[in-house]
Amino acid sequence: FFLPLELEKITKGKLQKQICQVVLDHFEKQYTAELGDAWSHVRDVLTSPWCWQHAVLLNRFSQSPGLESSLAEQGYHPAFPAALPYLPAAFRCYSRMAPGRFPAQKHQPGRLKEYYLLNAASLLPVLALEVQDGEDVLDLCAAPGGKSVAILQCAWPGHFHCNEYDDLRSRWLEQTIESFIPGPLINSITVSKLDGRQVGDLHPEFYDKVLVDAPCSNDRSWLFSADPQQAVLRLRQRKELSSLQFHLLRSAVKALRPGGSLVYSTCTLSKAENSSVIDLILSSCSNVMPVDISGMARGVSQEFTFLSGMQQHELLVLPEKGRAWGPMYVAKLKKVSST
């Protein structure tokens, strides 16, 4: 636990690399057009890592008796109100207004971690998915594994398939699951390295729930790209991401049983990777319909700042000082019939 001034010194030295000007210029142009006046507040947070906040998701499989009282002493409070449409009793997450980070726990083979540190907004896709015990669930782009762990804090699926195409990230995913889930339960989880675009053809209409936390422009990390040439390459490749995201969603729709639902999420503000991808799926897949998640958004409106003017099936969390969560885009769809 650090005092704010100490934290700022440490974070500035450790995290505040030089802001990549080429990325900031690109964001400035795009997000001023897309977000209007809201962009200046978002930019202030994204370019100031010492004001970022971290939430603490407790692990129900490795509970520490004094952890919650310790969190309370340091100003943490339950991050999600009990009035939410879906909030399982075992799901416990804590956050606080002040910036800073609770001490991280190192991976130790054979020993479960007691909590997972994360951006609280990244839990919204999991809460929107509303997984129930016994359902067959697919996390299509699962690494590094935070949302997979969060799903298992909510319910125990009948079959849980965690997929990650990238080899390095897949190993990261496996380590995360090993760190949070007890051995006997790990045996009922399938971890694969399939191309997500092909999973729907390989497992058609198999799952009740699918999470597509898609590869995207990571606005937070891209702003601190150490290599300007890599940043330029990323910005060029950015135009191709929406096509990948669309095909991942198409695959997810194929993998869903009729009546099943999927949640799509990204950690970018970019409309091309968010609303535009969902609009394209809705217009090209006649067997898919949007699902209203405005009730969840209203339930967490004290914790998060949302972009106004979004449709009822989607939300976009905007970081602002004191509520530095996001960016996080979430949309929910339902499959109403076979393809």
Side-chain angles (χ1 to χ4, degrees):
F1 174 64
F2 303 108
L3 294 171
L5 183 59
E6 293 170 333
L7 173 70
E8 184 171 333
K9 287 178 182 174
I10 290 169
T11 311
K12 277 186 175 180
K14 202 170 180 180
L15 289 180
Q16 172 99 8
K17 300 171 184 172
Q18 209 53 34
I19 289 171
C20 186
Q21 194 61 44
V22 66
V23 175
L24 182 58
D25 290 346
H26 182 91
F27 285 2
E28 196 78 45
K29 184 177 179 181
Q30 179 181 352
Y31 293 148
T32 298
E34 293 183 9
L35 303 177
D37 295 339
W39 165 240
S40 61
H41 300 290
V42 173
R43 180 189 57 216
D44 289 347
V45 172
L46 292 183
T47 56
S48 308
W50 56 90
C51 78
W52 294 359
Q53 295 159 266
H54 293 82
V56 182
L57 176 67
L58 304 195
N59 183 13
R60 65 169 168 156
F61 303 111
S62 176
Q63 296 180 1
S64 172
L67 179 56
E68 286 178 275
S69 58
S70 175
L71 287 165
E73 288 169 8
Q74 296 177 32
Y76 285 85
H77 61 274
F80 298 96
L84 279 180
Y86 172 84
L87 191 73
F91 183 91
R92 289 175 299 151
C93 181
Y94 287 81
S95 67
R96 64 177 183 180
M97 294 285 287
R101 186 181 178 122
F102 203 68
Q105 293 181 313
K106 291 183 178 179
H107 173 71
Q108 297 180 45
R111 183 171 179 179
L112 297 182
K113 293 185 180 182
E114 296 165 351
Y115 54 85
Y116 191 98
L117 302 178
L118 75 179
N119 185 318
S122 67
L123 294 171
L124 293 176
V126 173
L127 295 178
L129 196 60
E130 300 189 16
V131 175
Q132 307 294 332
D133 287 341
E135 290 183 323
D136 295 320
V137 180
L138 168 64
D139 189 350
L140 190 63
C141 312
K147 292 181 180 65
S148 296
V149 166
I151 286 170
L152 293 169
Q153 305 308 310
C154 295
W156 192 255
H159 176 73
F160 192 25
H161 181 178
C162 301
N163 181 69
E164 176 55 52
Y165 182 55
D166 182 84
D167 188 60
L168 183 62
R169 287 173 60 82
S170 182
R171 290 201 295 275
W172 189 1
L173 168 65
E174 288 177 343
Q175 181 174 293
T176 300
I177 291 173
E178 181 188 325
S179 293
F180 286 90
I181 311 303
L185 297 179
I186 287 179
N187 295 333
S188 64
I189 300 171
T190 299
V191 178
S192 65
K193 293 190 285 187
L194 301 169
D195 184 333
R197 293 168 293 186
Q198 298 172 359
V199 170
D201 290 325
L202 294 170
H203 304 283
E205 300 193 345
F206 185 83
Y207 302 98
D208 300 296
K209 302 281 171 69
V210 178
L211 175 63
V212 185
D213 186 42
C216 67
S217 309
N218 188 322
D219 294 350
R220 281 191 184 230
S221 67
W222 281 25
L223 275 167
F224 297 93
S225 300
D227 181 354
Q229 289 183 321
Q230 182 193 46
V232 171
L233 181 61
R234 278 176 167 172
L235 290 173
R236 282 188 194 140
Q237 293 174 335
R238 192 180 203 201
K239 298 172 185 175
E240 301 166 14
L241 279 170
S242 58
S243 175
L244 171 62
Q245 292 155 349
F246 172 76
H247 285 101
L248 287 169
L249 266 176
R250 282 283 297 268
S251 177
V253 171
K254 289 180 182 178
L256 268 181
R257 291 177 179 137
S261 56
L262 72 84
V263 168
Y264 173 77
S265 61
T266 74
C267 55
T268 181
L269 299 160
S270 176
K271 186 178 179 182
E273 298 176 52
N274 294 338
S275 298
S276 297
V277 174
I278 293 296
D279 289 345
L280 187 56
I281 279 288
L282 287 170
S283 64
S284 62
C285 296
S286 59
N287 61 337
V288 171
M289 62 178 288
V291 177
D292 186 352
I293 56 172
S294 60
M296 182 185 74
R298 283 192 301 272
V300 296
S301 60
Q302 295 301 309
E303 288 277 351
F304 301 97
T305 300
F306 297 108
L307 178 66
S308 60
M310 303 293 281
Q311 298 186 73
Q312 290 186 322
H313 62 272
E314 59 179 355
L315 58 84
L316 178 61
V317 179
L318 301 178
E320 68 172 29
K321 287 186 177 173
R323 297 198 286 187
W325 312 115
M328 179 60 56
Y329 175 81
V330 183
K332 186 170 185 178
L333 306 175
K334 182 176 182 178
K335 185 172 182 175
V336 293
S337 63
S338 294
T339 307

